[in-house]
Amino acid sequence: MMGPPNSSRPRRKPAVSVRTVVTFAIFGVCCFYAGVLVGAHTMGSNNCSHVEPQQTPNKEAEEPRFPADVSTFAAGMALVPRAGFMERFEEMGFPLDEPNRHNNQVLLLYSHDEALPPKSRTAAKSNTHIPVLENVSDATENCDTLNIILSQPGDKQQCFAILGQFRSHHVTKFMRLPLEGPLDHQAPLRLVNRGAQASGRVSMKTPTAEETKVYWETLQRYLNTLDATLDLLQPLAQKVAQQNTVIVMVCNHGQSELLMNFVCASRSRGVDLSTVLVFATDKETKELAEGFGLTSFYDETNYADIPMKAAGRYADVTFSAMMMAKVYCVQQVVLLGYDVLFLDVDIVLYKDPLQFFHDTASPYYNHDIYFQDDGSRALFYAPYSANTGMYYIRNNDKTKYFFNSLLLGGDLITATHSHQIALVSLLSEHASLYGLKVKVFARRTSLFPGGYSFHNHHDFMKELMGGKVDDAILFHMSWTTNKKDKEKFLRQMGNWFVQDKCVGSTASKILGKDDAIAIAIESKSLLEPCCLKEPNVSCFYKDKPSKIPCKDSPALDKRHGSFW
């Protein structure tokens, strides 16, 4: 009997076609993606049988940054760029230093939920990192009032306390300062004046009863003659005023060569000085000023006691006496209704300064009073550090009252031996109390450079003397101990235009005879014998700015190398 065909041979597996392999591969891929989609749906569904654990919310972030105990004055915080903040609130007027990596942002504290920025409300209020808001206007959008506090960078152990209380416009200061001697970290905090320093020095001295009494006698004489003085002064001010502005200077004979240099340097650069009114504190200076073509005024009643010699140093007796003359002359011209540009005699002009202050399109035009930054950050100059050797006043009720107040407080000038300390302290009060708008041009500005730049910014000084600073209006040889050094520094800079024979001299000696003075005044005949067409450049100190290399000269400051 025959069995099934081929039953005695092994059975072969059927061949798998390429088509079958491809089909299964496509099917597998589809199943994989379907599984992914189904899984994703399942994880997102509330009806799934298995759910992966979700991340727990950060409860700390949901809590407010400040507790309810301070909710009436602290609700949120933010940071904004310092540069943008300075630009937006430029009219606060302080001479702000440039940002750096350790002082590059401003900290904002919001007092209430309604003050929080609309676009960043949650971030500003949440108890996490402090948000950085790049747009200053957005950050302050809901701030109906913005109170700005200036903090001295680098004071490592200073603290700030904000107390919910009836508002104060002053900062109350406590220090670990014993009644005598320097700061002691173990001493208790005690109330001090704002000028107290870690050294124990008190920067603001109260006038004594005797100083006040002596000043009252001087003030009485001044006030008794004021009306008569103004009657004599009015036609002179009217004669020189340009767009209701008078350039006011004050000088005694000891400083007369600096006044000569001011005139000769201006003449060499084509700067018109017809708007200058010189308050001479002696007859010799009046004759010199008029012989150089300037309008001059001499008040013998009030200036007779002022020494003719130059001040030997900052804050000596002569210096202090001249400070009162600076108060009188400005106050009088302001009382007459004129704007005033006050200039010290140790200034040289590069161009007409009145064009800058008369420019109605300038972003700085709407301030009441303008100052050059002194550059010093000594505590008694805070917060404005205004240099009182160059300032511009727009005449209005606020500025009139300011200079009347400075006059009445002249005993403080006597006590501190400084017109600058008294004026700066008054600036803060009048800005806060009466809204006096103050503008102090920062010390790094190229518009009004002075002694600070001379001693500290040598790269800038090389550009200035090289004629590469186009917008410089003047240079003020401040930060200098005495007249002798001022002359040396101006010579090195290429800013000295006076013949040596005229230095320290009088009009009669320069002209050779006394009866020639009247003719000299009429013909401005002191200009030719005393003014140089080109500057007298001389070397004195190798470490100070110079027009030419002075490498063979000695150094004034022993720790410094050559300027060149």
Side-chain angles (χ1 to χ4, degrees):
M1 183 174 178
M2 296 179 63
N6 302 323
S7 61
S8 62
R9 291 178 292 181
R11 185 179 297 176
R12 290 196 301 175
K13 295 180 180 180
V16 180
S17 66
V18 174
R19 181 176 180 180
T20 302
V21 173
V22 172
T23 301
F24 274 98
I26 293 174
F27 180 78
V29 171
C30 291
C31 288
F32 172 79
Y33 280 105
V36 171
L37 293 174
V38 171
H41 174 74
T42 303
M43 290 182 67
S45 171
N46 292 328
N47 300 322
C48 60
S49 59
H50 175 73
V51 179
E52 292 291 330
Q54 297 185 23
Q55 185 176 1
T56 304
N58 185 348
K59 293 183 179 181
E60 183 182 2
E62 296 177 352
E63 296 177 357
R65 187 181 301 278
F66 297 103
D69 311 62
V70 295
S71 59
T72 58
F73 61 86
M77 300 177 78
L79 295 168
V80 295
R82 176 180 170 88
F85 190 88
M86 289 164 54
E87 181 180 357
R88 171 61 184 82
F89 299 107
E90 181 276 331
E91 65 177 332
M92 59 183 151
F94 305 116
L96 299 173
D97 296 326
E98 291 300 312
N100 59 59
R101 66 190 188 94
H102 298 295
N103 186 19
N104 200 31
Q105 293 181 331
V106 177
L107 177 65
L108 294 179
L109 176 66
Y110 299 99
S111 67
H112 192 274
D113 283 359
E114 294 184 9
L116 295 171
K119 298 178 183 178
S120 308
R121 182 181 301 273
T122 302
K125 189 175 182 180
S126 68
N127 192 21
T128 56
H129 69 282
I130 302 174
V132 178
L133 310 182
E134 295 296 332
N135 190 303
V136 176
S137 294
D138 288 348
T140 56
E141 183 175 345
N142 281 342
C143 299
D144 288 342
T145 301
L146 179 65
N147 301 301
I148 298 175
I149 299 172
L150 304 184
S151 168
Q152 181 71 36
D155 282 1
K156 296 180 180 179
Q157 291 182 264
Q158 64 174 329
C159 305
F160 297 89
I162 299 178
L163 181 67
Q165 181 56 37
F166 186 47
R167 73 179 71 246
S168 171
H169 298 289
H170 293 81
V171 174
T172 304
K173 183 176 176 179
F174 284 73
M175 289 184 74
R176 299 190 186 277
L177 200 62
L179 294 177
E180 293 183 2
L183 185 142
D184 181 353
H185 295 293
Q186 304 305 315
L189 288 166
R190 71 174 182 89
L191 183 67
V192 297
N193 75 315
R194 71 188 187 195
Q197 302 180 55
S199 64
R201 179 188 176 192
V202 178
S203 60
M204 186 64 73
K205 182 182 177 183
T206 305
T208 65
E210 182 61 26
E211 287 169 335
T212 299
K213 181 181 178 181
V214 170
Y215 180 67
W216 282 354
E217 293 173 358
T218 303
L219 180 62
Q220 185 175 20
R221 180 180 62 193
Y222 175 82
L223 294 176
N224 286 341
T225 60
L226 181 59
D227 288 341
T229 301
L230 293 178
D231 287 342
L232 295 173
L233 189 58
Q234 170 61 35
L236 298 178
Q238 186 175 4
K239 168 189 169 185
V240 302
Q242 178 188 117
Q243 292 184 238
N244 202 53
T245 303
V246 177
I247 297 178
V248 171
M249 305 180 79
V250 62
C251 187
N252 70 350
H253 188 257
Q255 300 283 338
S256 59
E257 55 263 47
L258 291 173
L259 178 63
M260 294 179 192
N261 188 60
F262 171 82
V263 175
C264 295
S266 299
R267 185 184 185 220
S268 74
R269 292 165 178 150
V271 179
D272 177 31
L273 297 182
S274 61
T275 55
V276 174
L277 175 56
V278 176
F279 284 73
T281 63
D282 50 68
K283 292 180 180 179
E284 289 79 3
T285 303
K286 182 178 187 295
E287 292 170 354
L288 283 169
E290 293 175 348
F292 276 89
L294 301 176
T295 301
S296 182
F297 178 72
Y298 173 52
D299 179 3
E300 186 172 6
T301 302
N302 290 294
Y303 293 161
D305 295 337
I306 296 177
M308 286 182 61
K309 65 179 182 179
R313 57 179 174 82
Y314 177 84
D316 70 5
V317 175
T318 302
F319 182 92
S320 300
M322 289 299 296
M323 293 306 99
M324 288 313 306
K326 290 175 71 170
V327 175
Y328 296 159
C329 65
V330 172
Q331 192 253 355
Q332 289 167 356
V333 179
V334 169
L335 277 181
L336 289 173
Y338 295 98
D339 294 356
V340 170
L341 173 61
F342 180 84
L343 298 178
D344 268 348
V345 292
D346 59 348
I347 283 175
V348 290
L349 298 178
Y350 296 122
K351 58 183 70 172
D352 180 5
L354 294 185
Q355 292 182 12
F356 176 85
F357 294 106
H358 290 166
D359 181 8
T360 57
S362 168
Y364 309 116
Y365 184 77
N366 292 317
H367 288 78
D368 297 314
I369 189 166
Y370 307 75
F371 291 89
Q372 179 188 40
D373 185 356
D374 182 84
S376 171
R377 293 300 179 258
L379 195 55
F380 40 78
Y381 293 152
Y384 288 105
S385 191
N387 186 295
T388 53
M390 178 259 141
Y391 55 96
Y392 186 89
I393 308 151
R394 296 201 189 282
N395 199 295
N396 56 45
D397 287 342
K398 292 177 184 177
T399 52
K400 279 192 178 82
Y401 186 60
F402 177 83
F403 284 97
N404 289 345
S405 300
L406 183 62
L407 172 71
L408 296 177
D411 52 348
L412 182 59
I413 298 175
T414 303
T416 60
H417 304 289
S418 172
H419 168 259
Q420 187 173 4
I421 291 176
L423 187 147
V424 170
S425 67
L426 206 59
L427 274 181
S428 298
E429 292 306 305
H430 280 242
S432 173
L433 193 56
Y434 305 112
L436 181 74
K437 291 187 69 174
V438 182
K439 173 61 184 176
V440 181
F441 295 97
R443 57 188 177 182
R444 296 297 295 265
T445 181
S446 56
L447 293 170
F448 304 104
Y452 174 81
S453 295
F454 181 86
H455 293 290
N456 294 283
H457 299 141
H458 286 183
D459 288 343
F460 170 79
M461 291 303 300
K462 288 178 181 177
E463 292 185 354
L464 179 66
M465 290 182 293
K468 298 178 181 178
V469 183
D470 295 333
D471 59 346
I473 295 173
L474 56 78
F475 185 86
H476 183 193
M477 199 61 260
S478 55
W479 277 48
T480 309
T481 305
N482 52 50
K483 180 188 70 173
K484 186 179 295 185
D485 279 345
K486 289 179 185 291
E487 181 180 337
K488 289 179 179 178
F489 294 159
L490 289 169
R491 282 177 183 265
Q492 282 205 176
M493 286 181 63
N495 269 328
W496 190 258
F497 290 82
V498 180
Q499 295 273 13
D500 289 343
K501 66 180 181 180
C502 296
V503 173
S505 192
T506 62
S508 59
K509 289 182 180 179
I510 294 170
L511 296 171
K513 50 185 178 179
D514 293 339
D515 58 2
I517 294 176
I519 299 173
I521 291 172
E522 182 68 27
S523 62
K524 304 178 184 180
S525 61
L526 294 180
L527 289 171
E528 289 302 325
C530 290
C531 288
L532 296 168
K533 293 181 179 179
E534 298 295 330
N536 180 350
V537 183
S538 307
C539 285
F540 295 96
Y541 306 113
K542 67 179 180 181
D543 59 330
K544 295 301 176 183
S546 56
K547 185 83 170 178
I548 58 175
C550 295
K551 296 179 181 180
D552 295 330
S553 300
L556 181 62
D557 300 327
K558 303 304 179 185
R559 67 185 186 276
H560 292 157
S562 175
F563 174 77
W564 289 96

